[in-house]
Structure formats: structure tokens, C-alpha cells
């Protein structure tokens, strides 16, 4: 039997790119708390002891952007100028403008509704940009996520808890994990082939102690024992020490971890990032809708794997295309599934916003450890509430 290996990675909230994602989404939530209809496209970049907040925001909300920046950095754990990044002393610059009137025009009134007198303001909203969005689900895990990214996220979550709870007090906020899974010929996971953890630490710990702690307190407590064997390879800080990290070790930018945010590379990606964007941006809202549809199709037993593609034109409400691909695992034809999706799900931007209740400040929950697969976070796109309707439409009730 030939081996098929697939690898996914995750990063901690102290990774420089994730610091930027978190600040962007915290600003978005702060605006939505006061102004649910605020238009937000907020980007952040960071380097040694410096943060720049930039973008386009149109809102009635009054927000202290610098306060959000510093509180976020402090909560993540960067509180010491000696390591090159300190919530209280880093320089913060705010460079924000309002949304382009050309974009706002298309969002406020979609092309197909501009001459219609009977459409509500919500129904008439157009897509905030052109683009392609994907959603994916499979039955490899309880949360309908691919196993490699599911395990990588669980490792980074646990790594952060070990630091914040003081179990491994020498850890610093920056870190990454990576998991390689070997698959059987039928596409089901067989075993874990390799695991990587690179974690920032202070000068007090030896590499021997670090390796022992990570193996015992991280890998052994998270990885399923039935998938680990004597051939599983472990890499812990393979370059040696990792003292210089965070924005001091590498610059950070919002939206640069889009594969970590989604499915770990399993399933395609449209290219648009999520963080810092309000729900009129289909990069975010339509990707959530596509995940919602794919998850419900798999949860309904209509396929073992499912990918949804949705595409839009800027200023137009209705998608230019909707595609369903079950990779040969569907219980009915993919073209019939596309018809059913069109019958059950309204994929105009305003309808997605209503369907998933996206005008609420829920986005800071999504930033770290993936936007999908969090069944315990109360995220609307992770509900399995359309399974009965799908099965009935498919004739499998």
C-alpha cells in the first residue's frame, strides 16, 4: 500500500501575524457593539515594539483604538520590553479612513435592485467585492474538520494554556505546531506520521527540559494514542533555542495565516482573508456560509467529504456561481446537490447576514485556532440545523 501523507500547521495567539489578526477582530467587535451596521476593513502590521492600525472604517461608534491594541497585546502576554515587545511601551500609530464611496454604493444597493422600488434595504445589499469563496467539511472528526488541522489547533491551544496557567512558566507567547497524518487508500486516517512543535521560551530552560516537558505535557496529552506508534517522529524546536520571537523576531500582518484559519490546506481557498472585515465583505461572510452548507451536507450523511464554492461580482447580490464537489463520496449526484443548496440556502449577502446573524460582535472568538470546527463556541456557521431539510430534499428522509 502506498502511503499518502497530509500535513497542516497551526500557530499560537502570540505569533506576530495572529497578534495582528486579533487586534483587527477586536476592533471590529468593539465597533459592532455600538454600531451593528458599521463598515470595517481593518488591517494591522507589527514589528519590534511597533504597531500600525490602518484601513477603512465608516461607523457611528466611538472607539479607543490604541486602548484595544494595548489591551490585546497585554492579554496575549507581551509585557516585557526586554523581549522586544511590550503592551505598555510599544509605539502605536492609527491610520484609518472611511470606506470608498464607490464600494459603498455597490454594497448599499445591488445592481439588480437599483431600479426596484419594492426591495427592502437589506435585500438590496450587494457584495462588497468580487471573489471566490470555499467551504469544506469531512467526517474525519467530530467537528467535521480534517484531522491534521484539528490536531494542530488542539496542540497550539494546549501550548498556550500551559503557558498562561503557569504549568510551563518559561514559555513565551510565540509558537507553532504541525501534524502529518498518514491516510489509508480509502481516505481514512491511519496514523500520525510526524509532529512538530516550535515554541518560544526564556533563557532559563535547557533544551533537554523543554523537550521532556513538551513531549509529556503537550504531545502525550493531546495526540490520540491509537494513532501514535513507534514510527511516529517528534520534532521539538528543531533549530535549537527559540528565545527571540513575536514581532521582535518577525514582522506580522493581518490576513497572512489564511490556511491556518481555514482547513489547513485540505480543500481549496479563494485567497481572501477574514480578520478585520465586517459581514458585508463576502470574503468572510460567504466563506462562513460555504462552511455552514458543507458541514450540514456531511452531517446529514449526504457525503463523507464536501466542498462548496461561491463566487460574487462587486455590487451584485446574487452569486455568479455555486459549485458542490463531494469527491465521489456523495449519496446523490453533485449537480442535484447544487440544486438543493439553491432551494434551501439564500446566498445573497444580506440573506447570509440574516441566516448566520453576523451583525453581532462574535468575531474575536474566531481569530485564533481556526474559524471553523469550534462547535463549543456558539458560532452560527457551526450548527447542524439544516440536516433534516437537506435529507428531505434529497429523498433520503
Amino acid at each position: 500500500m502506498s502511503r499518502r501523507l497530509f500535513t497542516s500547521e497551526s500557530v499560537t495567539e502570540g505569533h506576530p501575524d495572529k497578534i495582528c489578526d486579533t487586534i483587527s477582530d477586536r476592533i471590529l467587535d468593539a465597533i459592532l457593539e455600538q454600531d451593528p451596521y458599521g463598515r470595517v476593513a481593518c488591517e494591522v502590521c507589527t514589528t519590534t515594539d511597533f504597531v500600525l492600525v490602518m484601513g477603512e472604517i465608516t461607523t457611528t461608534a466611538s472607539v479607543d483604538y490604541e486602548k484595544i491594541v494595548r489591551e490585546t497585546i497585554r492579554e496575549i502576554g507581551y509585557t516585557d520590553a526586554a523581549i522586544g515587545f511590550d503592551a505598555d511601551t510599544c509605539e502605536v500609530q492609527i491610520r484609518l479612513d472611511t470606506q470608498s464611496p464607490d464600494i459603498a454604493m455597490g454594497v448599499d444597493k445591488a445592481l439588480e435592485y437599483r431600479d426596484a422600488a419594492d426591495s427592502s434595504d437589506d435585500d438590496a445589499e450587494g457584495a462588497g467585492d468580487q471573489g471566490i469563496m470555499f467551504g469544506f467539511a469531512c467526517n474525519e472528526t467530530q467537528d467535521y474538520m480534517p484531522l491534521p488541522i484539528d490536531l494542530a489547533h488542539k496542540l497550539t491551544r494546549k501550548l498556550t494554556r500551559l503557558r498562561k496557567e503557569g504549568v510551563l512558566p518559561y514559555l513565551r507567547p510565540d509558537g507553532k505546531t504541525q501534524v502529518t497524518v498518514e491516510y489509508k487508500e480509502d481516505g481514512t486516517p491511519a496514523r500520525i506520521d510526524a509532529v512538530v512543535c516550535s515554541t518560544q521560551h526564556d533563557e532559563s530552560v535547557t533544551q533537554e527540559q523543554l523537550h521532556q516537558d513538551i513531549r509529556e505535557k503537550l504531545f502525550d496529552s493531546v495526540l490520540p494514542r491509537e494513532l501514535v506508534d513507534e514510527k511516529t517522529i517528534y520534532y521539538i524546536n528543531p533549530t535549537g533555542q527559540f528565545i527571540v520571537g513575536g514581532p521582535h523576531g518577525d514582522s506580522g500582518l493581518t490576513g497572512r495565516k489564511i490556511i491556518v484559519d481555514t482547513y489547513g490546506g485540505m480543500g481549496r481557498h479563494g485567497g481572501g482573508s477574514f480578520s478585520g472585515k465586517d459581514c458585508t465583505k463576502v470574503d468572510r461572510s460567504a466563506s462562513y456560509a460555504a462552511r455552514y452548507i458543507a458541514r450540514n451536507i456531511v452531517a446529514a450523511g449526504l457525503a463523507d467529504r464536501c466542498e462548496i464554492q461561491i463566487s460574487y461580482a462587486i455590487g451584485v447580490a446574487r452569486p455568479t456561481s455555486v459549485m458542490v464537489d463531494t469527491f465521489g463520496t456523495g449519496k446523490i449526484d453533485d449537480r442535484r446537490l447544487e440544486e438543493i443548496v439553491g432551494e434551501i440556502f439564500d446566498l445573497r449577502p444580506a440573506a447570509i447576514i440574516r441566516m448566520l446573524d453576523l451583525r453581532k460582535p462574535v468575531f474575536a472568538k474566531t481569530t485564533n485556532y481556526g474559524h471553523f470546527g469550534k462547535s463549543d463556541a456558539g458560532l452560527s456557521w457551526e450548527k447542524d440545523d439544516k440536516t433534516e431539510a437537506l435529507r428531505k430534499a434529497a429523498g433520503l428522509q
Side-chain angles (χ1 to χ4, degrees):
M1 181 183 73
S2 60
R3 296 201 310 163
R4 175 177 173 263
L5 302 177
F6 195 90
T7 304
S8 296
E9 72 159 348
S10 179
V11 299
T12 65
E13 60 199 54
H15 186 282
D17 294 329
K18 273 297 152 195
I19 295 170
C20 297
D21 285 343
T22 305
I23 294 170
S24 294
D25 278 334
R26 292 279 180 88
I27 287 173
L28 172 62
D29 276 2
I31 289 170
L32 293 177
E33 284 176 359
Q34 301 177 45
D35 178 13
Y37 288 85
R39 300 277 174 83
V40 181
C42 179
E43 314 283 345
V44 176
C45 65
T46 183
T47 187
T48 302
D49 251 350
F50 175 80
V51 177
L52 170 64
V53 179
M54 56 189 173
E56 296 79 43
I57 296 177
T58 302
T59 183
T60 59
S62 177
V63 174
D64 188 337
Y65 298 110
E66 182 174 338
K67 182 180 179 182
I68 292 173
V69 170
R70 296 191 186 281
E71 287 181 346
T72 301
I73 296 169
R74 187 177 301 107
E75 184 179 319
I76 290 170
Y78 288 106
T79 56
D80 184 358
I83 65 171
F85 201 51
D86 183 355
D88 295 316
T89 62
C90 66
E91 181 184 356
V92 177
Q93 291 189 14
I94 310 297
R95 296 288 186 271
L96 294 170
D97 204 345
T98 57
Q99 185 180 63
S100 158
D102 297 335
I103 295 175
M105 176 179 64
V107 176
D108 293 339
K109 198 78 166 179
L111 178 67
E112 60 265 52
Y113 294 111
R114 285 178 199 160
D115 297 325
D118 58 348
S119 63
S120 71
D121 288 341
D122 280 347
D123 288 338
E125 286 186 2
D129 201 353
Q130 72 174 50
I132 56 176
M133 297 84 206
F134 288 94
F136 181 83
C138 61
N139 59 8
E140 292 180 18
T141 64
Q142 186 176 359
D143 288 328
Y144 303 103
M145 289 291 287
L147 183 61
I149 190 66
D150 182 72
L151 291 176
H153 284 325
K154 287 177 178 175
L155 287 170
T156 47
R157 273 182 182 269
K158 183 62 179 288
L159 185 64
T160 297
R161 286 202 303 271
L162 291 172
R163 171 177 62 88
K164 287 190 169 183
E165 293 172 2
V167 178
L168 300 180
Y170 56 78
L171 293 180
R172 288 177 178 172
D174 197 358
K176 287 185 173 184
T177 63
Q178 186 171 283
V179 178
T180 301
V181 173
E182 180 179 336
Y183 284 82
K184 301 175 185 177
E185 289 184 353
D186 64 1
T188 58
R191 55 182 292 276
I192 296 172
D193 188 71
V195 189
V196 182
C197 176
S198 296
T199 181
Q200 188 185 14
H201 58 87
D202 64 29
E203 300 90 338
S204 67
V205 65
T206 64
Q207 289 300 302
E208 291 75 18
Q209 184 66 52
L210 176 68
H211 281 235
Q212 180 180 334
D213 288 345
I214 294 299
R215 180 67 186 267
E216 293 178 358
K217 292 180 169 58
L218 182 65
F219 290 163
D220 292 350
S221 68
V222 171
L223 301 176
R225 293 185 179 182
E226 67 274 14
L227 295 179
V228 174
D229 57 30
E230 68 280 357
K231 294 183 179 180
T232 299
I233 304 170
Y234 300 94
Y235 296 101
I236 301 168
N237 283 18
T239 61
Q241 68 179 22
F242 182 3
I243 295 173
V244 178
H248 185 44
D250 192 10
S251 61
L253 184 65
T254 297
R256 203 159 56 178
K257 284 291 173 284
I258 56 178
I259 301 302
V260 172
D261 289 341
T262 52
Y263 309 101
M266 192 175 290
R268 285 165 280 199
H269 197 292
S273 63
F274 303 154
S275 290
K277 296 179 180 178
D278 73 83
C279 56
T280 66
K281 279 74 172 174
V282 284
D283 275 341
R284 186 167 213 162
S285 57
S287 294
Y288 289 175
R291 161 63 179 177
Y292 180 54
I293 297 168
R295 175 174 174 135
N296 273 270
I297 287 173
V298 174
L302 300 183
D304 296 333
R305 295 161 56 87
C306 182
E307 184 175 73
I308 306 292
Q309 185 200 53
I310 311 171
S311 65
Y312 292 89
I314 187 169
V316 179
R318 298 191 182 279
T320 56
S321 68
V322 178
M323 180 274 291
V324 177
D325 188 353
T326 62
F327 307 94
T329 70
K331 303 302 184 287
I332 63 173
D333 184 72
D334 287 354
R335 304 293 78 78
R336 174 56 187 148
L337 264 178
E338 288 173 4
E339 294 173 356
I340 291 171
V341 167
E343 294 165 6
I344 295 176
F345 301 93
D346 187 343
L347 294 175
R348 293 174 298 169
I352 290 174
I353 292 168
R354 287 195 300 270
M355 176 175 68
L356 300 180
D357 199 13
L358 296 179
R359 293 200 183 277
K360 293 182 177 179
V362 298
F363 298 105
K365 292 181 182 180
T366 68
T367 316
N368 293 293
Y369 318 113
H371 290 242
F372 308 121
K374 296 176 176 175
S375 296
D376 59 347
L379 302 174
S380 55
W381 53 93
E382 293 299 320
K383 294 180 179 178
D384 305 327
D385 56 357
K386 297 294 185 182
T387 56
E388 292 302 315
L390 286 164
R391 288 183 60 81
K392 183 177 180 180
L396 300 178
Q397 190 78 329

